[in-house]
Amino acid sequence: MPKDTEIGFAYILYLGNIFDSLGLSFFLIELFIIIPIYIFLIKNRSRMSVTLGMATFYFLSYNFSLSFMLGGIAMSLLLLAYYYLKQKKYKVAIPIMLLAILFHNSAILLSVLYFVITKLQKFKYGNIVKIVSLSIIVVLFLFTDKILSLLVSIAGFASARYAFYLSTYIGAGSISDIPITDLICKLVLIAIIYSWQHKYKKYTFENLPFLYFALIGRLFVLFNAIFYESMRIAFFFDMFLIPYAASIYSCPIKRKFDRCVVSTIVILPSFLYWLYFIMYKGGYATNVFKFR
């Protein structure tokens, strides 16, 4: 490759080159993004809606995955790895994490983070630890420029490319760089799900990890004001909005009509995000057609 590229992505391009088909490479990329998400939802279908989860993916993440292709594969693989970590099936989880790293080096740091968080959930003071960790992220937001050298060193462990991004883009952003549509639509989605599940305490507790990851994603969206590339980090955590939305069916919704109403309300913020940001504004320039 003319530039430093993860071996997994290079191999997909190589396969397309063998068959003289760029379309084959694109197809394989999306296949590797969609299949792990689908498997994750199928594995959890006793308490999640597969349909609602996939619809959330297509409205919120599909178009971005056509732009952030390497990261998209890594994100979906890490989501599937998280399921096996929760099941303590490390012989399956670790190979999936290693596969994710082959497509995006940042998966090294995120794999460690996922593993730590799954362990903290069973810790006696797990909620306190989560609050502290969220506070640390807020502190990072306030003092990022002052600890830049430390962050560059940590990022350099995964890839020199990410260290370059940090040193180049930290301080390059502004308040206007915060994507308001992304921030609001996903916050509304989180609020709808949480308010509904709050009626049933045990269901809220079961899905707290998804809520926790989703809130971290929203914080990284705010980071875009001081670190222009932080949206790419946010999307790794936003992937957990898929199971969080799908988990609405973990609540006892018995009547078919009620399930339809709840599903419609839950999918509405994602649909409006897609309708306005993707189809009208042309976000990520991944659509041939736009609504005008």
Side-chain angles (χ1 to χ4, degrees), residues 136-145 219 222-226:
I136 291 173
I137 293 175
V138 173
V139 170
L140 286 175
F141 176 73
L142 296 174
F143 302 102
T144 299
D145 56 334
L219 284 172
L222 295 176
F223 260 49
N224 221 50
I226 59 172

Side-chain angles (χ1 to χ4, degrees), residues 115-129:
F115 182 79
V116 169
I117 288 178
T118 55
K119 291 299 182 184
L120 290 179
Q121 288 169 18
K122 296 182 179 180
F123 187 54
K124 183 178 179 181
Y125 302 104
N127 288 334
I128 296 176
V129 174

Side-chain angles (χ1 to χ4, degrees), residues 79-100:
L79 180 65
L80 181 59
Y82 178 81
Y83 167 79
Y84 288 107
L85 282 175
K86 289 282 290 181
Q87 301 296 318
K88 296 184 178 181
K89 296 181 179 179
Y90 302 118
K91 291 183 179 179
V92 181
I94 292 175
I96 294 176
M97 286 179 167
L98 292 175
L99 184 61

Side-chain angles (χ1 to χ4, degrees), residues 37-56 242 246 249:
I37 296 171
Y38 186 71
I39 293 174
F40 176 92
L41 292 169
I42 287 292
K43 292 285 186 181
N44 290 281
R45 64 184 178 273
S46 62
R47 64 188 188 93
M48 291 184 186
S49 166
V50 178
T51 303
L52 192 56
M54 291 306 298
T56 302
I242 296 170
Y249 276 11

Side-chain angles (χ1 to χ4, degrees), residues 2-16:
K3 294 183 178 180
D4 181 28
T5 305
E6 283 82 350
I7 187 64
F9 185 66
Y11 189 71
I12 287 179
L13 296 180
Y14 175 68
L15 288 176

